[in-house]
Amino acid sequence: MVATEDSNLFAIILAGGASSRLHATSPLPTVDKPLLRFQGKPVLTHVIEAAAARVVPERIVVVGPQSLPTGNIATVYEEPPRSGPYMGVYTGLQYFAQQFGPATVAEGVLLLGADMPRIAQGLTQLFDHHDAATHAGVAITQAAGRLQPLLSYVPRPLAEQVFAKPVINAGLMKTLRTCEHRVLDVPDAAVADLDTYQAAIDAGITF
């Protein structure tokens, strides 16, 4: 069966970090992680396209500076800027509430990082998790024994509960682990990020 867009799926792509470790380890000045180029286009573009395989574009939001190359995908920024991934999720959920109204029980939200160029290799498992149950629960991906909260799934009604208040620099993983959740194994490449210059080189980034 060919996958089609699902109006019950939403995606929040977090792209507002400072990329401090990348800048600190790079021998030359470089752009922030979402703007690094992989296979001829920005990493952020790869993440957006991976999400858009199932998520209606209007239900995808990038949390980060307005200058990011998001095309027709909405961009919002947490306040204050760079106040942590929890605040990014909170801001994305607020945007969805404004645009689409209260959550319904069948809806789910993908929480995605903007610095994983091969994230599509792990999204299939989250799509399947969403499809498998009428009301799927929280799912956090894992590779090589390491959990990755920026490739995870949260039912939208539950997300609105656990991210109900703005809390600066709150822990995203800590918040997700307060919920009953499944751990889904994904390929290492799916969660290979670009935190350092060497990690970016290993991931196939072209400087």
Side-chain angles (χ1 to χ4, degrees):
M1 180 181 295
V2 177
T4 58
E5 291 180 340
D6 187 335
S7 61
N8 285 325
L9 266 176
F10 295 76
I12 298 172
I13 301 174
L14 301 183
S19 303
S20 54
R21 290 182 63 200
L22 172 66
H23 294 305
T25 57
S26 177
L28 295 170
T30 185
V31 296
D32 288 344
K33 293 186 291 182
L35 300 177
L36 291 173
R37 298 192 72 79
F38 177 71
Q39 296 180 348
K41 54 190 174 185
V43 172
L44 175 59
T45 302
H46 287 275
V47 178
I48 291 172
E49 291 176 350
R54 287 290 304 277
V55 185
V56 178
E58 291 78 14
R59 297 182 183 231
I60 301 173
V61 65
V62 174
V63 182
Q66 292 290 332
S67 58
L68 290 170
T70 59
N72 64 342
I73 301 300
T75 305
V76 296
Y77 212 173
E78 70 267 23
E79 182 59 44
R82 294 180 174 173
S83 50
Y86 174 103
M87 284 296 292
V89 174
Y90 168 83
T91 302
L93 291 170
Q94 292 294 303
Y95 171 80
F96 291 147
Q98 293 165 5
Q99 297 295 314
F100 303 103
T104 64
V105 294
E107 294 174 341
V109 181
L110 301 167
L111 309 182
L112 308 177
D115 64 342
M116 292 180 276
R118 295 184 176 89
I119 200 169
Q121 295 183 30
L123 271 174
T124 299
Q125 288 87 327
L126 292 179
F127 293 151
D128 289 345
H129 172 77
H130 171 75
D131 293 339
T134 303
H135 308 309
V138 175
I140 307 172
T141 60
Q142 171 182 263
R146 178 188 174 193
L147 293 171
Q148 176 49 270
L150 291 181
L151 180 51
S152 62
Y153 172 99
V154 187
R156 189 176 165 221
L158 178 59
E160 291 185 347
Q161 293 176 31
V162 296
F163 295 94
K165 298 180 180 180
V167 184
I168 294 174
N169 293 324
L172 178 56
M173 177 64 83
K174 181 178 180 180
T175 302
L176 292 179
R177 293 183 77 168
T178 64
C179 307
E180 183 176 349
H181 62 273
R182 292 181 60 195
V183 174
L184 302 179
D185 290 313
V186 298
D188 291 358
V191 296
D193 57 33
L194 314 173
D195 280 353
T196 66
Y197 178 79
Q198 188 58 54
I201 293 294
D202 293 343
I205 296 300
T206 303
F207 284 92

